[in-house]
Amino acid sequence: AKKRDGKNGAQIFDNSMLDDSRRRAELESHIESGLSDDWFEAHLQPIVNIDDRSIAGFEALMRLHHPQKGILPPARIIDVAEETGSIVRIGNRVMEKAISHFARLSRLDGMQDTYLAINFSPLQFESGLPMRIAALLSRYDIRPERIVVEITEAVLMDDNPETRTVINEICRYGCRIALDDFGTGYSSLSYINRFPVDIIKIDQSFIRAINDIASDVSLKSRMLVESITTLSHKMNCTVIAEGIETEEECATLRAMGLDYGQGYLFHRPQHPNDLMKALAGPRADHLTPVAQAS
Ligand code: C2E
Ligand code: MG
Ligand code: MG
Ligand code: MG
């Protein structure tokens, strides 16, 4: 926890640095316990067709369910896990859970052709990944076309030849690639060209901004979202808006021609068991045996 060097090279600490490293150590210990005691879970958030709001797919979102503290959100955990390298073990765990839940969900009426999107960190793109995915899909009897690998610019930016090989292999196997948080990096457009991207997910910061009434920001955000959508369609990519919270946002995005939407307006991320119950809806009775199969 070295903050900066003084002129004489002495290290200067302050209380916030100490708090920081304490919090970090605490998270690291939650992560280790989470792996050994099986606290990691994959929650699922539906992604809908923006026109009729039918479900097109689900995104798996990692949750660490601490027995005392409850559910811890992923952002900080992922930061720490990427630094220590434990993100690979966590990612594998979450992927397996997500795929097994997805296999169950797929048996519900109307869910046969939905897809499952899984987030991946840069460190996960190592040589064993394609085989690992293939083994899971064969175990759960899921077609590769139904799996979407979500990556961010960070994955593409390290320009590591192994990463490139692994991504290409996953594509050849039949899975699709989504570029997540699109627009938050600084050279996003160049990647659509160099990588086999099928889906563009426009970051929620743009979606938040579009209805920031009459402001300059809103006007520019609308132009950006519209241009990204047009361009993506020309490149045969599907476009998703992330973080749609209001009917107004949905209407604007629909008018702009976006394909899919994801956000609290439609569905929140949920534990797969709760999601199963909600989706089974009025037919819950004769679906109970499926729901209990977990
Ligand atoms: P992301 O992949 O961009 O996921 C979308 C995030 O937006 C999720 O946050 C989701 O809960 C949130 N969200 C969805 N709809 C709305 C909305 O209407 N309003 C608002 N305010 N938020 C909405 P979450 O679950 O906290 O995940 C944060 C990030 O953590 C994810 O962003 C992703 O980058 C990362 N992440 C999550 N799960 C995993 C995982 O299994 N592996 C890796 N490597 N990263 C993960
Ligand atoms: Mg994502
Ligand atoms: Mg995102
Ligand atoms: Mg994100």
Side-chain angles (χ1 to χ4, degrees):
K2 182 167 71 164
K3 193 175 190 182
R4 69 185 107 93
D5 288 345
K7 277 213 175 76
N8 55 3
Q11 295 174 5
I12 299 166
F13 294 89
D14 64 29
N15 284 334
S16 73
M17 293 295 294
L18 272 178
D19 285 350
D20 242 36
S21 66
R22 211 175 284 133
R23 256 197 304 275
R24 197 199 133 95
E26 204 174 75
L27 272 176
E28 268 181 56
S29 109
H30 293 338
I31 288 171
E32 282 313 312
S33 313
L35 283 165
S36 56
D37 298 352
D38 200 22
W39 296 343
F40 283 99
E41 208 10 298
H43 281 200
L44 296 176
Q45 183 178 31
I47 295 166
V48 303
N49 288 295
I50 207 160
D51 290 326
D52 65 5
R53 302 190 185 192
S54 59
I55 294 179
F58 304 88
E59 178 171 8
L61 294 162
M62 180 258 274
R63 298 289 182 264
L64 196 163
H65 193 163
H66 189 285
Q68 279 84 46
K69 295 172 190 291
I71 289 174
L72 308 178
R76 281 280 288 144
I77 294 166
I78 289 163
D79 283 349
V80 172
E82 282 181 341
E83 275 174 46
T84 64
S86 58
I87 190 68
V88 177
R89 281 180 296 151
I90 298 173
N92 288 336
R93 190 73 64 86
V94 170
M95 168 166 66
E96 163 152 22
K97 293 208 169 180
I99 290 174
S100 78
H101 293 308
F102 178 62
R104 282 196 298 140
L105 256 170
S106 293
R107 286 145 74 181
L108 294 175
D109 261 2
M111 296 295 138
Q112 290 75 9
D113 295 322
T114 53
Y115 72 84
L116 174 68
I118 304 171
N119 293 285
F120 287 87
S121 291
L123 287 175
Q124 293 181 264
F125 291 91
E126 46 182 22
S127 60
L129 183 64
M131 269 308 290
R132 191 181 286 280
I133 295 177
L136 283 171
L137 297 190
S138 106
R139 183 180 341 150
Y140 290 100
D141 197 23
I142 290 169
R143 289 174 284 118
E145 308 78 63
R146 296 186 65 203
I147 300 296
V148 169
V149 170
E150 290 201 359
I151 58 182
T152 57
E153 245 183 70
V155 173
L156 306 179
M157 252 169 55
D158 47 301
D159 211 20
N160 173 340
E162 186 178 21
T163 305
R164 217 180 236 271
T165 308
V166 169
I167 292 176
N168 284 326
E169 209 173 315
I170 292 171
C171 284
R172 238 178 308 145
Y173 172 60
C175 299
R176 290 175 291 155
I177 306 288
L179 198 45
D180 204 351
D181 302 341
F182 192 84
T184 55
Y186 44 84
S187 49
S188 314
L189 289 176
S190 68
Y191 295 117
I192 313 185
N193 204 11
R194 285 161 40 209
F195 285 88
V197 174
D198 305 284
I199 298 170
I200 301 289
K201 299 189 78 172
I202 301 181
D203 191 70
Q204 50 179 288
S205 53
F206 289 100
I207 310 311
R208 265 316 71 69
I210 55 173
N211 285 322
D212 196 348
I213 307 293
S215 78
D216 204 32
V217 176
S218 125
L219 196 66
K220 285 180 181 163
S221 304
R222 282 176 203 233
M223 290 193 292
L224 264 168
V225 171
E226 205 157 20
S227 310
I228 293 170
T229 304
T230 305
L231 185 74
S232 303
H233 282 161
K234 282 190 176 149
M235 306 195 83
N236 283 322
C237 291
T238 299
V239 188
I240 305 182
E242 295 194 290
I244 302 181
E245 292 183 354
T246 67
E247 288 292 351
E248 201 185 2
E249 287 166 356
C250 180
T252 306
L253 293 161
R254 205 181 153 191
M256 288 179 179
L258 274 87
D259 304 290
Y260 298 157
Q262 178 177 359
Y264 298 164
L265 174 66
F266 313 112
H267 304 270
R268 285 183 179 259
Q270 273 187 298
H271 189 283
N273 291 343
D274 299 327
L275 184 63
M276 291 275 292
K277 281 188 210 129
L279 294 183
R283 286 189 302 269
D285 282 346
H286 49 109
L287 286 166
T288 310
V290 177
Q292 283 172 345
S294 64

